Amino acid sequence: MKKNAYVGLYIVIAILLVLPFVLPNSFYVDLAIRMAINAVIVLGLNLLIGFAGQISMGHAGFLGIGAYASAVLPTHFGWHPLLAMGAGAVATGLLAALVARPIFKLKGHYLAMATLGLGIIINIVLRTEAALTGGPDGMPVPALGLLGFELSSDKHWYWVVALLLSVSVWASLNLIDSPFGRALRALHGSEVASQVAGVDVVRYKVSIFVISAVFASLMGSVTAHYVGFVTPNFADFFHSIELVTMVVIGGMASVYGSLVGAVLLTALPQALATFEGWETVAFGTILMICMIFMPRGLVPTLAAKFGKGA
Amino acid sequence: MAQFLQFLFSGMTVGATYALAALGFTLIYNASNVINFAQGEFIMLGGMLAVFFTQAGLPLPIALVLAILVPAIVGVVLEKLAIEPVKGAETVTLIIITIGASLVIRGLIQVWLGKGTHSLPAFSGDVPIEILGATLMPQSLWVLGVTGLVVVALWYFFSRTLHGKAMLATSFNRLAAELVGINTSWVLFMSFAMSAALGAVGGILVTPITLTSYDVGIMLGLKGFVAAVVGGLGNGLGAVLGGLLVGILEAMGAGYISSAYKDAIPFVLILFMLFFMPRGLFGGKSTDRV
């Protein structure tokens, strides 16, 4: 691993350490927590889309499974929240593993369609099974307790999420530079060539899909506990698109791009809220302009401009 | 039997709209390899504009022509401003651009015409026609009839006219088409105009039956996409049959299995299709060049 790859990680940790002392009020702490949660999900999704070159347009579905596992199992069946979170992650992993093989025979638009369909089915199930999930209105999520200590204040959540984010950035950097990561990048470049070079393409595609889905499920659980309420919107098509957009706007195949994408697109709706009624138009316009002028994403484009690697 | 026929009728009616949307996807996909996620918004535009122009007091025929023309212009603007500048970009980049476009269109309509649900009067009355115990609304005949006409017109255009053949040639091999003097950017331009107009026609026809609002585009567009993939992406006849099939299965599923899961049926269908017949019902075999 190149030494300077870790410089970014130290900067991220430094920012996370300083941030709570400079944020003016709880609104910004809340925003920072949401940004960090999205960043972790996007890091996982970028491993799949950016590095392995496989689109998933249904990732919010996996998020939804995690979130609803954390809501339904403790509420209706009295499970411990941590156990529920684990069960959600296992269920997501199994589902992802089950569909991954047939799904990854597909490429490009067909792959997009299949993952999109999977996400929509999950969303419709959550919406329809009202007896368990509260239907379109959603349901409350019990608080998350750790060893007799209840996570309740925003400050506590901030440190938990900041820790998760730092670990995820570190893990992503290491993963990408491992033989596993090199294999992923190879199959993005050319599947046939990497197969010829002895890469078990199917195994790697399936593993990265399962890893990024489990990432999403766990963070779905975290979000559910943090917000204290889940609705099917969590798992809807638009949320999947938002996640993919974060990956692409920030920059595919760039760890720091994922962070930038997550931060910008989490903040954007807040910033646009002042344009009452025009948010959707503004959001769509910004997406289009970014993609037309920087099809590779912000971080790689800027990095190329200033002559440094991302 | 009567019940079965009833489900069949309603399935075919909605399916015809999906077929028009699927044809729109197919046209653009063939010309540019782009999946236009704003296709659903053209359907919505057709319906909403038809409502707006008739309420503004224009006679029905003029209102309908305008409601097809305006989306066609929107389609052309989209192609010129957002698709042409990024030729050859990655699939996911193009997907996000068209999704951005769909948000802009939906947002503008929401600001301009509000969040309300609207309807159009049926074109030739509401007296149902009775067939073997099932009822068929006259509007359904309009939907099926116009869709049929559109399909025939498209077939004629592509197989009998020079412009149509030029478009086909481009979809097979862009470079070769350019070499024999076909203006491929004109083809791209035309395919966006045509697919937007097709979507709008579907949206107008179905509005008296299913109502419309600023946000109906997403589901209609996605189901049109399902229909296009079921039929084999890029295959015109496949798109039409795919649309009808999706519509009929959805109506049967809603009637015999569960109406709550109606919207899930096309997506379950698409997963099965892709797993077992990844090229769709009518997609040819193709090999990737390495």
Side-chain angles (χ1 to χ4, degrees):
Chain A
M1 160 158 294
K2 284 172 282 168
K3 287 248 162 48
N4 60 7
Y6 277 117
V7 174
L9 174 63
Y10 300 141
I11 295 175
V12 169
I13 293 176
I15 293 174
L16 286 171
L17 284 174
V18 175
L19 211 52
F21 303 104
V22 294
L23 290 175
N25 56 42
S26 61
F27 171 80
Y28 288 97
V29 177
D30 173 68
L31 192 59
I33 294 172
R34 288 168 194 269
M35 284 173 174
I37 289 176
N38 281 336
V40 176
I41 302 166
V42 174
L43 279 172
L45 190 57
N46 198 0
L47 291 177
L48 183 71
I49 299 183
F51 288 97
Q54 311 296 319
I55 307 174
S56 169
M57 308 243 295
H59 244 56
F62 300 130
L63 216 71
I65 295 179
Y68 272 88
S70 286
V72 172
L73 294 176
T75 308
H76 293 294
F77 304 98
W79 289 38
H80 188 276
L82 282 179
L83 203 59
M85 193 184 275
V90 171
T92 307
L94 287 176
L95 177 69
L98 185 74
V99 297
R101 256 164 214 279
I103 274 191
F104 284 128
K105 281 194 294 190
L106 308 166
K107 286 192 180 73
H109 294 115
Y110 292 95
L111 179 62
M113 182 72 237
T115 49
L116 187 158
L118 184 66
I120 289 184
I121 292 169
I122 296 172
N123 184 27
I124 293 177
V125 172
L126 295 178
R127 224 171 258 283
T128 310
E129 297 303 321
L132 278 177
T133 64
D137 299 332
M139 66 184 290
V141 184
L144 180 60
L146 281 166
L147 309 167
F149 172 82
E150 195 163 279
L151 266 171
S152 49
S153 81
D154 271 11
K155 289 274 174 188
H156 295 155
W157 273 106
Y158 178 86
W159 293 115
V160 170
V161 172
L163 180 68
L164 282 175
L165 178 59
S166 310
V167 172
S168 307
V169 172
W170 175 80
S172 302
L173 288 172
N174 275 291
L175 189 75
I176 290 156
D177 216 48
S178 69
F180 184 84
R182 282 194 290 275
L184 289 184
R185 277 179 289 171
L187 70 88
H188 189 185
S190 163
E191 265 180 43
V192 177
S194 41
Q195 207 153 19
V196 171
V199 176
D200 185 346
V201 170
V202 175
R203 191 169 68 92
Y204 280 104
K205 279 195 200 171
V206 172
S207 334
I208 197 62
F209 187 59
V210 172
I211 290 173
S212 75
V214 169
F215 244 94
S217 172
L218 286 172
M219 292 318 284
S221 294
V222 168
T223 320
H225 283 298
Y226 169 61
V227 179
F229 201 86
V230 285
T231 68
N233 291 349
F234 236 71
D236 72 6
F237 173 61
F238 187 70
H239 195 190
S240 289
I241 295 306
E242 265 184 324
L243 295 172
V244 175
T245 308
M246 289 176 188
V247 170
V248 181
I249 293 257
M252 287 196 272
S254 159
V255 168
Y256 302 111
S258 296
L259 300 184
V260 171
V263 166
L264 286 182
L265 281 167
T266 314
L268 194 57
Q270 305 288 344
L272 294 179
T274 45
F275 298 93
E276 227 173 297
W278 290 88
E279 308 97 317
T280 324
V281 181
F283 189 75
T285 311
I286 291 170
L287 286 192
M288 290 173 74
I289 291 175
C290 284
M291 287 293 92
I292 292 169
F293 294 106
M294 291 178 289
R296 292 171 56 213
L298 272 168
V299 169
T301 306
L302 293 178
K305 208 162 207 166
F306 296 107
K308 279 196 218 153
Chain B
M1 182 63 193
Q3 201 185 28
F4 177 83
L5 264 186
Q6 193 69 63
F7 295 148
L8 188 68
F9 290 157
S10 64
M12 282 174 70
T13 308
V14 198
T17 331
Y18 300 160
L20 288 175
L23 276 172
F25 278 114
T26 298
L27 276 173
I28 290 181
Y29 182 76
N30 278 341
S32 60
N33 261 319
V34 172
I35 290 296
N36 175 24
F37 273 89
Q39 188 65 32
E41 307 314 320
F42 296 140
I43 308 179
M44 179 275 285
L45 273 181
M48 287 297 279
L49 291 175
V51 170
F52 170 75
F53 288 127
T54 45
Q55 280 177 357
L58 291 175
L60 190 66
I62 296 178
L64 297 191
V65 169
L66 280 177
I68 297 171
L69 216 55
V70 174
I73 294 168
V74 173
V76 167
V77 170
L78 169 64
E79 189 269 327
K80 279 289 161 212
L81 292 185
I83 304 295
E84 225 178 61
V86 289
K87 259 186 211 162
E90 283 211 45
T91 305
V92 56
T93 307
L94 288 164
I95 288 177
I96 291 181
I97 289 178
T98 56
I99 286 173
S102 83
L103 291 177
V104 172
I105 296 172
R106 193 185 317 155
L108 286 174
I109 290 294
Q110 187 201 322
V111 171
W112 183 37
L113 298 176
K115 288 191 176 184
T117 305
H118 304 276
S119 183
L120 275 177
F123 298 168
S124 46
D126 291 319
V127 187
I129 305 158
E130 197 134 337
I131 301 170
L132 299 172
T135 53
L136 184 63
M137 298 306 281
Q139 188 65 25
S140 294
L141 291 178
W142 273 102
V143 177
L144 292 169
V146 172
T147 306
L149 276 180
V150 166
V151 170
V152 171
L154 280 179
W155 168 82
Y156 181 82
F157 177 72
F158 280 114
S159 63
R160 294 285 185 273
T161 69
L162 199 58
H163 287 311
K165 285 178 182 166
M167 285 178 77
L168 268 188
T170 308
S171 79
F172 284 123
N173 188 329
R174 184 182 198 90
L175 185 64
E178 268 167 23
L179 287 174
V180 297
I182 292 169
N183 182 351
T184 51
S185 58
W186 173 84
V187 168
L188 205 60
F189 179 90
M190 271 308 288
S191 57
F192 270 82
M194 280 169 70
S195 81
L198 283 178
V201 168
I204 294 169
L205 289 170
V206 84
T207 295
I209 301 172
T210 59
L211 311 181
T212 190
S213 64
Y214 78 102
D215 61 353
V216 295
I218 315 171
M219 258 306 165
L220 285 172
L222 288 177
K223 288 175 182 172
F225 185 21
V226 170
V229 174
V230 165
L233 202 51
N235 180 312
L237 177 70
V240 175
L241 294 178
L244 291 175
L245 187 70
V246 170
I248 290 169
L249 284 180
E250 188 184 296
M252 297 286 169
Y256 290 117
I257 304 171
S258 152
S259 60
Y261 280 107
K262 178 173 91 67
D263 283 335
I265 290 165
F267 299 100
V268 175
L269 172 72
I270 196 70
L271 282 182
F272 270 98
M273 276 297 302
L274 288 174
F275 289 173
F276 298 110
M277 265 193 242
R279 296 254 155 225
L281 284 177
F282 302 93
K285 258 195 171 164
S286 88
T287 25
D288 286 323
R289 274 206 346 224
V290 184

